[in-house]
Amino acid sequence: MLTCFAPDLTPAAATYQLSEDESKHAVRVLRLNEGDAIDLLDGRGGLYTATVAAANPKRCQLRITHHETVAPRPYFTHVAVAPTKNLDRMEWFVEKAVEIGVERISFLRCARSERRELKLERLEKIAISALKQSGQAWLPQLDELVDYAAFVASVAPETTFIAHLEAGERTALAQVASAGLGCCVLIGPEGDFTPAEINLALGRGIRPVTLGTSRLRTETAALAAVFTAHLARPQG
């Protein structure tokens, strides 16, 4: 069944009008007709079932027939990553992270970052598409690009970890991620965090972690962090 994104839909609503893009896809591409069923999600835990009341390709009208609310996951995963110069790699990461399950993605401007600016519009659309495809109920928060030092100063050090490549003792992320109900993992740019950035995090009480023995590309490391935290989180 077709799933559409309805961010402004509320549980009290009896009817709903799809956006022009969603209307066109439902009526022109999928050829839905009056009486056909459709699923909706609002990105805030709400799942809806509806039927087509008027199959207009610009203003498809729906009649809501059922609503349920999915509780948020008990474990909060937050990845803060320096976006790559090639934006396709970040798009791939966002898509796969949403499919697996992530609550928040932040973007860092680091000393060695090759990308200094970032527009979220395209990434938000990819996140919504992945949400619909994967059947998730909660759309993750995507944050604007922020300077690394400002971000480090804003997070809770007891639940934040830095995955860097410098020598030194590090704990496996799976081990520390399973010890609580949430974690934030910092992932650096292609050239890694600078020693000064690492020391800044350690000075704040942020602990160093490892994602394994392989040297991973930025987007791979970020996805590995999401996947590791997902497996370590309490299930159910």
Side-chain angles (χ1 to χ4, degrees):
M1 187 184 298
L2 172 67
T3 300
C4 287
F5 185 57
D8 52 347
L9 184 55
T10 64
T15 61
Y16 185 74
Q17 179 178 297
L18 292 179
S19 68
E20 185 169 345
D21 285 345
E22 294 279 30
S23 294
K24 181 178 179 181
H25 184 69
V27 177
R28 289 265 172 85
V29 179
L30 297 178
R31 300 185 181 280
L32 292 187
N33 295 305
E34 186 174 332
D36 288 342
I38 186 173
D39 288 335
L40 304 169
L41 54 86
D42 60 16
R44 305 182 307 278
L47 300 179
Y48 303 78
T49 302
T51 57
V52 177
N56 186 305
K58 291 187 176 181
R59 298 176 298 278
C60 184
Q61 302 288 338
L62 306 177
R63 184 178 299 107
I64 308 300
T65 58
H66 176 74
H67 164 257
E68 62 180 285
T69 300
V70 177
R73 290 179 283 255
Y75 190 96
F76 192 91
T77 300
H78 179 189
V79 171
V81 57
T84 53
K85 183 178 181 180
N86 184 344
L87 195 56
D88 288 349
R89 290 160 59 186
M90 279 296 97
E91 293 175 357
W92 175 86
F93 160 65
V94 168
E95 179 184 69
K96 302 310 174 188
V98 174
E99 289 178 12
I100 292 172
V102 65
E103 280 64 50
R104 183 178 177 186
I105 300 173
S106 298
F107 297 100
L108 306 177
R109 186 186 293 108
C110 299
R112 294 172 176 164
S113 291
E114 293 189 84
R115 177 171 287 277
R116 313 300 297 182
E117 302 294 335
L118 181 69
K119 294 182 179 179
L120 288 184
E121 183 178 359
R122 169 68 177 164
L123 295 177
E124 289 170 343
K125 289 181 179 179
I126 288 172
I128 291 170
S129 179
L131 189 78
K132 295 191 295 184
Q133 187 277 328
S134 61
Q136 304 280 349
W138 290 84
L139 186 67
Q141 175 181 331
L142 269 61
D143 297 330
E144 297 284 352
L145 190 66
V146 64
D147 287 339
Y148 172 82
F151 182 84
V152 167
S154 71
V155 294
E158 61 271 15
T159 56
T160 304
F161 308 94
I162 182 169
H164 65 77
L165 300 175
E166 293 289 325
E169 184 176 347
R170 290 169 290 169
T171 306
L173 176 60
Q175 180 178 334
V176 295
S178 64
L181 292 178
C183 70
C184 173
V185 185
L186 311 183
I187 304 294
E190 288 93 329
D192 198 16
F193 295 111
T194 64
E197 288 171 333
I198 295 171
N199 289 334
L200 179 64
L202 299 183
R204 279 270 298 153
I206 295 171
R207 288 169 284 171
V209 292
T210 176
L211 300 171
T213 58
S214 299
R215 184 183 294 268
L216 304 176
R217 294 175 66 158
T218 295
E219 72 278 12
T220 310
L223 187 62
V226 172
F227 186 68
T228 300
H230 182 79
L231 291 181
R233 70 176 21 148
Q235 299 298 311

